[in-house]
Amino acid sequence: MSVRILALVGSLRAGSHNRQLAEAAVKLAPEGVEVELFEGLADVPFYNEDIDVEGGAPATALRLREAAAASDAVLLFSPEYNGTMPAVLKNAIDWLSRPYGAGALVGKPVAVVGTAFGQYGGVWAQDDARKSVGIAGAVVAEEIKLSIPGSLTRFAETHPVDDAEVAEQLTTVLSSLVAVATTKAA
């Protein structure tokens, strides 16, 4: 069975360590697993019910919804901005939560991981993201966690895929999320 995981990165910065972590997930995906790194979150307008109308929703938001609907699971990569998740990630969750009760996240396994400069690796942001996707109807994989502290120093010279400890932890995250997705599908 092939498993598709949609990766959403909460940082728009070109050199983002969370983006690098997502890139590592793409490379480390086990055989039979495809991790799709969604491009274009910066182009999705802020959620507004006035523009989320049948036949009139923005193309970028529809593309996000289609990618999520076509996936078997979603993996969020969240930095921590002022103690919470970035607006771009919250906005993606808002778009994916609609239409209410039938959004692309309803019943979808979701895990949240990330890295941040602080000593806790962004756990507050990740906890907020888990809360938000749970309210949006996702099946939150609470047991799947990876918070990597000290991102600015840890990844200053090393890409996460080349950090043996991070690569091993990320591989475990992917395997665990695949197990949740295949159990749900069975």
Side-chain angles (χ1 to χ4, degrees):
M1 173 179 173
S2 176
V3 175
R4 295 186 65 200
I5 298 173
L6 179 65
L8 301 178
V9 179
S11 176
L12 302 178
R13 190 172 59 85
S16 162
H17 296 121
N18 279 283
R19 180 172 179 83
Q20 291 176 359
L21 196 60
E23 292 167 353
V26 170
K27 291 180 183 176
L28 295 169
E31 187 174 334
V33 176
E34 175 194 355
V35 177
E36 175 195 353
L37 179 53
F38 186 83
E39 302 289 353
L41 282 186
D43 302 323
V44 178
F46 280 112
Y47 185 79
N48 177 344
E49 284 184 271
D50 290 342
I51 62 172
D52 187 13
V53 294
E54 191 168 332
T60 53
L62 292 175
R63 193 168 64 79
L64 173 63
R65 284 177 172 164
E66 289 166 1
S71 70
D72 298 301
V74 177
L75 184 55
L76 304 179
F77 293 84
S78 184
E80 190 166 274
Y81 292 178
N82 298 310
T84 192
M85 75 178 114
V88 69
L89 192 54
K90 177 63 169 76
N91 188 52
I93 294 167
D94 290 345
W95 277 102
L96 294 173
S97 73
R98 299 291 192 254
Y100 180 76
L105 291 176
V106 172
K108 185 94 43 187
V110 177
V112 184
V113 299
T115 184
F117 178 65
Q119 65 181 337
Y120 301 112
V123 293
W124 290 346
Q126 293 172 33
D127 287 346
D128 285 350
R130 285 183 195 93
K131 176 183 173 186
S132 188
V133 294
I135 291 170
V139 176
V140 181
E142 294 282 352
E143 70 284 357
I144 301 174
K145 295 182 179 180
L146 177 58
S147 302
I148 305 165
S151 61
L152 292 180
T153 52
R154 183 160 193 164
F155 302 125
E157 309 255 339
T158 304
H159 192 284
V161 78
D162 298 320
D163 181 313
E165 180 184 18
V166 170
E168 181 181 335
Q169 292 170 332
L170 194 53
T171 300
T172 299
V173 163
L174 291 170
S175 297
S176 298
L177 187 54
V178 166
V180 172
T182 54
T183 299
K184 183 196 164 292

